[in-house]
Amino acid sequence: MNKLCKAIVDNRFIITAELYPPKGTDIAELMRRADIIGPLVDGVNITDNQRASMRLASIAICHLIKDKGYTPILQMTCRDRNRIALQSDLLSAYVLGIENVLILSGDHPAVGEYKEIKGVYDLDPVQLLTTARTLESGFDLSGKKLKGTPKFCLGAVVNPTSNPLELQLLMMEKKVKAGAQFFQTQTIFDVERYRQFHDQVKHLNVKVLAGVTLLKSREFIGFLKNLPGVSIPEDVVKRVEAAKDPLKEGIKICGETIRELKKFADGVHIMAIGAEDLIPEILKNA
Amino acid sequence: MIITVTKPIEEIMTNLEGYKKVFVVGCAACATKCQTGGEEAVNNMIKELKKKNKTVTGSVILDTPCDIRIAKRDLAKSREANESDVILVLACGAGVQAAEKVIEKPVLPALNPLFVGTTERIGVYNEFCSVCGECILDKTAGICPVSRCPKGLINGPCGGVVDGKCETDLTKDCVWVLILNKLKKLGKEQEIFKDYFSPKKRAKPKVVNRAGERR
Ligand code: SF4
Ligand code: SF4
């Protein structure tokens, strides 16, 4: 049982973090970051052509960090592959020892580097979750029998700050029914609001890891605000803006957020977006 | 209907290079509604062609140029059309291809067909159907997520909904919010997400009979 599955079963506070494959073949920096966060967390998400930009494949990096003894979480979007490729990649992940898969729709090409391409979306996330469970039953989507079956720990995403929240809650339920065992959320800053969300989804009996992001600078806040589905409360923005050392204040805020979340949440998912080196310090503060 | 826009006149003229005598075909159906292939559009096209020193041998506005029987009746037998070097068709791609089937002349498109949609008013068209072959409007309050969600998500929305708007364009409503609101109005909100939609059949036969079966 890998570290993430074990943390889920043991019912302890779960910490995951995220890394982004490079555009190009130079993975030295990425692996250096993996060495910093890998030992500290229960799972490392490797993004899948994030923000609809072309990157080195998630599955390759997952394999490399798994070899180093860390626990990868393969992110898999529905944007770039049809059902043949998705199923094939799920089987490939399994034989490489990658069991944790986070399934998401994926940022639309319209917000990325290739605005004029056709997004595939042959399957949607609920269907892809169902597909992974179908493979586990020994068959593929065409009903053919598999020679050797995989086993996955499946995750999905939810956005607790989305409005109307009602839709997200209902969707989450549908994803649980389709096989999601854990969720990672869009970045949250308002812990009180998150507590309400946490209470609303408790009955689903799945692990929900609250997304936290390090506010590393004033400019970065501007960037974050432009991402789909991110909302940052004004008082948090003011704290960073008024600080003499915005980065230090950002680390403090992030640490405080995690400390508060530890009191009731199932875990956190840290998206440091380029500042992964600071994750040890954030965790010390938490 | 099929929403069409007129190709840039420069592109049309480039395609017409080497042809002198042009016969113009319009469409009395969708392209008339879009003002891209009706009487006015055909007359404007004839004016442009004459400005560029083309000889216009004649024109016809077919009831439905996409109906091969009509193209056969009203185009194939036209003497002017048969005496021309080229046929310029102001209709969707189906119209152009019906003309290709019935007359031994080069045919050229004058329009760019965009999608099957609705007209709010001239110049405001919505892609409301991507002709998926398995209509699910009965389960989605009459609002189509296949064509109106940019990701075509049929089991429910992504996490990018911001205050009811779509992550790909914050000026547009997320279709799932529209569906939820409509179901609420109808007092049927408990029906949302009730069904699991299995993956859609993406392949349709290219030639079908009345029952939609391959023939
Ligand atoms: S579900 Fe949408 S795309 Fe499919 S036939 Fe109905 S309206 Fe058209
Ligand atoms: S925000 Fe709504 S309409 Fe836009 S891609 Fe997501 S689900 Fe589809």
Side-chain angles (χ1 to χ4, degrees):
Chain A
M1 197 184 278
N2 75 59
K3 201 167 167 190
L4 178 70
C5 300
K6 185 136 187 1
I8 294 175
V9 175
D10 290 352
N11 210 12
R12 63 172 174 77
F13 193 78
I14 302 168
I15 301 173
T16 58
E18 194 159 296
L19 286 175
Y20 312 84
K23 187 189 264 309
T25 55
D26 184 353
I27 56 166
E29 177 60 24
L30 175 79
M31 294 314 280
R32 191 184 63 79
R33 288 179 179 172
D35 283 333
I36 294 172
I37 63 172
L40 298 177
V41 298
D42 298 303
V44 184
N45 285 50
I46 307 296
T47 55
D48 175 13
N49 295 303
Q50 76 273 10
R51 314 272 320 120
S53 65
M54 189 287 299
R55 300 290 173 128
L56 198 152
S58 174
I59 200 165
I61 304 297
C62 283
H63 177 52
L64 293 175
I65 69 167
K66 158 97 194 181
D67 271 357
K68 287 198 153 206
Y70 312 135
T71 310
I73 302 172
L74 175 74
Q75 293 202 179
M76 208 172 202
T77 75
C78 300
R79 182 192 55 229
D80 308 318
R81 283 160 292 189
N82 67 11
R83 59 196 91 164
I84 294 180
L86 288 166
Q87 292 181 94
S88 172
D89 280 1
L90 280 169
L91 296 181
S92 307
Y94 180 75
V95 300
L96 292 173
I98 304 159
E99 296 151 330
N100 308 319
V101 183
L102 182 85
I103 285 169
L104 56 172
S105 63
D107 292 323
H108 191 270
V111 302
E113 290 175 338
Y114 293 83
K115 298 200 190 315
E116 295 184 346
I117 63 168
K118 182 171 169 30
V120 179
Y121 303 110
D122 185 30
L123 299 182
D124 66 25
V126 178
Q127 293 165 344
L128 184 51
L129 285 162
T130 309
T131 301
R133 293 298 181 219
T134 305
L135 293 175
E136 285 181 336
S137 77
F139 294 89
D140 76 351
L141 282 183
S142 75
K144 298 268 164 19
K145 211 170 163 17
L146 301 180
K147 194 171 168 189
T149 53
K151 181 92 192 82
F152 300 110
C153 177
L154 296 178
V157 294
V158 60
N159 186 354
T161 63
S162 173
N163 176 23
L165 184 60
E166 195 179 347
L167 275 179
Q168 293 293 313
L169 296 173
L170 290 165
M171 247 332 246
M172 209 176 146
E173 220 172 299
K174 199 166 184 177
K175 286 177 177 175
V176 172
K177 267 194 212 141
Q181 292 159 276
F182 69 94
F183 283 80
Q184 290 174 326
T185 81
Q186 180 58 277
T187 296
I188 61 116
F189 290 97
D190 188 337
V191 178
E192 263 327 294
R193 215 173 131 192
Y194 183 77
R195 190 197 298 273
Q196 289 168 19
F197 170 78
H198 173 83
D199 290 341
Q200 279 170 299
V201 300
K202 233 190 196 145
H203 68 283
L204 294 174
N205 264 324
V206 286
K207 297 291 176 192
V208 187
L209 316 186
V212 293
T213 296
L214 170 65
L215 298 172
K216 44 186 182 182
S217 66
R218 298 184 184 99
E219 300 75 51
F220 184 69
I221 292 181
F223 162 80
L224 261 191
K225 276 184 169 167
N226 283 325
L227 290 186
V230 179
S231 75
I232 314 176
E234 263 320 297
D235 55 318
V236 175
V237 175
K238 279 201 193 112
R239 261 183 78 180
V240 177
E241 281 179 350
K244 239 196 259 134
D245 185 344
L247 177 61
K248 214 165 165 192
E249 191 63 25
I251 294 174
K252 222 171 119 198
I253 293 173
C254 199
E256 281 168 20
T257 307
I258 297 176
R259 209 179 318 140
E260 283 305 305
L261 286 167
K262 272 186 175 164
K263 293 179 187 158
F264 66 92
D266 302 324
V268 287
H269 175 59
I270 307 170
M271 293 170 269
I273 317 189
E276 289 77 16
D277 289 9
L278 299 171
I279 289 179
E281 199 178 334
I282 294 170
L283 289 176
K284 225 183 281 155
N285 267 297
Chain B
M1 65 173 168
I2 314 280
I3 306 299
T4 49
V5 294
T6 309
K7 280 184 180 288
I9 188 70
E10 300 75 31
E11 183 186 339
I12 297 174
M13 293 317 299
T14 309
N15 292 339
L16 284 172
E17 258 168 41
Y19 299 119
K20 178 74 183 150
K21 292 184 279 179
V22 185
F23 187 84
V24 181
V25 178
C27 160
C30 306
T32 288
K33 290 272 184 204
C34 290
Q35 298 186 351
T36 53
E39 209 171 307
E40 207 184 320
V42 167
N43 288 338
N44 285 339
M45 184 58 73
I46 291 173
K47 262 187 230 148
E48 289 289 336
L49 294 171
K50 286 184 174 162
K51 258 199 258 166
K52 303 274 174 4
N53 285 325
K54 299 287 178 193
T55 306
V56 178
T57 52
S59 66
V60 62
I61 295 173
L62 301 179
D63 269 354
T64 42
C66 49
D67 186 334
I68 294 173
R69 297 163 304 173
I70 290 189
K72 221 180 240 164
R73 190 187 69 198
D74 298 340
L75 174 64
K77 300 208 174 93
S78 150
R79 190 170 47 83
E80 292 95 337
N82 282 293
E83 281 170 1
S84 306
D85 301 327
V86 66
I87 314 289
L88 183 65
V89 187
L90 282 61
C92 74
V96 178
Q97 292 177 73
E100 184 280 330
K101 243 178 129 76
V102 302
I103 193 161
E104 295 278 317
K105 293 280 170 188
V107 292
L108 288 174
L111 310 183
N112 282 328
L114 297 181
F115 46 72
V116 176
T118 54
T119 312
E120 254 173 65
R121 53 175 193 274
I122 296 300
V124 184
Y125 309 114
N126 304 303
E127 182 181 7
F128 274 6
C129 175
S130 41
V131 238
C132 72
E134 304 171 306
C135 197
I136 59 166
L137 288 175
D138 51 327
K139 304 216 167 47
T140 56
I143 299 171
C144 171
V146 181
S147 55
R148 295 170 67 176
C149 163
K151 299 179 186 172
L153 303 177
I154 58 174
N155 275 298
C158 70
V161 196
V162 185
D163 291 330
K165 301 294 177 189
C166 173
E167 70 165 35
T168 68
D169 180 349
L170 293 179
T171 67
K172 302 283 184 299
D173 296 317
C174 166
V175 70
W176 280 104
V177 175
L178 297 180
I179 293 171
L180 176 68
N181 290 345
K182 186 64 187 272
L183 284 171
K184 276 188 179 163
K185 251 192 217 153
L186 300 173
K188 293 184 170 182
E189 63 264 37
Q190 69 288 347
E191 284 182 18
I192 199 163
F193 304 153
K194 206 181 71 204
D195 299 291
Y196 164 71
F197 288 109
S198 50
K200 282 190 93 65
K201 278 190 215 140
R202 308 283 179 187
K204 288 175 279 183
K206 298 289 184 199
V207 187
V208 296
N209 63 17
R210 277 196 207 213
E213 296 151 349
R214 180 187 305 274
R215 53 164 294 160

